[in-house]
Amino acid sequence: MVALPIDTAKFTGIICAVAPVPRVANRETGQLRVDRETGQTVYQVGLCLMSGASADVVTVSVPGEPNGVQNGMPVQVRDLVATPWENDGRHGVAFRASEIKPLTAPAGSSGPVVRKGAGE
C-alpha cells in the first residue's frame, strides 16, 4: 500500500499523549520490532494532533527511542506518513515518522513553542 505524507505544519500543535514504548513484534516471545532499514528498535508514541477546534490522538511508530519525549510535552515530528492497511477483514491506518523529538524553545524564551494556525 502507498504511504501518504502528512503536512505537520498544518497542525496548531502536536503534544505527546502517551510516552514512547518499544513496539513488540511477538507477544509470545517478547521479541521487539526492529526497523528494516536502520536496525533500530521501533517505538510507538501516542500523539495528540491539534488543528483549530479539533484534536485526534494517533499512535505513531518511529525507529529508535525518542529521547526526552514525555507525556504532555510539545513535540516536533519529521516525515509523518499514513499507510492504510487491511488484513483478514480488519482495516485501519498505520502512522509512521522518521523522528519525534521535543519541541525546544528558541533562545531567550521562557517555555516550549506551540504553533498557531493561520488566522489565530
Side-chain angles (χ1 to χ4, degrees):
M1 298 220 168
V2 65
L4 307 168
I6 297 174
D7 183 2
T8 56
K10 299 290 183 182
F11 295 110
T12 54
I14 303 175
I15 304 288
C16 175
V18 180
V21 293
R23 190 155 175 214
V24 177
N26 185 325
R27 289 190 173 109
E28 292 178 16
T29 66
Q31 178 183 5
L32 299 178
R33 185 172 303 269
V34 175
D35 183 71
R36 292 180 191 135
E37 294 178 18
T38 66
Q40 295 178 299
T41 299
V42 174
Y43 281 74
Q44 56 187 29
V45 184
L47 298 180
C48 179
L49 307 175
M50 298 175 283
S51 179
S54 67
D56 291 298
V57 176
V58 297
T59 300
V60 179
S61 295
V62 61
E65 184 174 5
N67 293 320
V69 174
Q70 301 173 1
N71 286 349
M73 176 179 285
V75 295
Q76 181 178 8
V77 181
R78 192 172 67 157
D79 303 326
L80 182 62
V81 296
T83 305
W85 60 268
E86 184 174 350
N87 189 7
D88 294 331
R90 297 177 33 209
H91 54 85
V93 177
F95 294 90
R96 184 171 178 86
S98 63
E99 182 181 37
I100 299 172
K101 63 182 183 179
L103 186 62
T104 56
S109 174
S110 61
V113 174
V114 176
R115 291 177 293 202
K116 297 290 182 187
E120 289 187 2

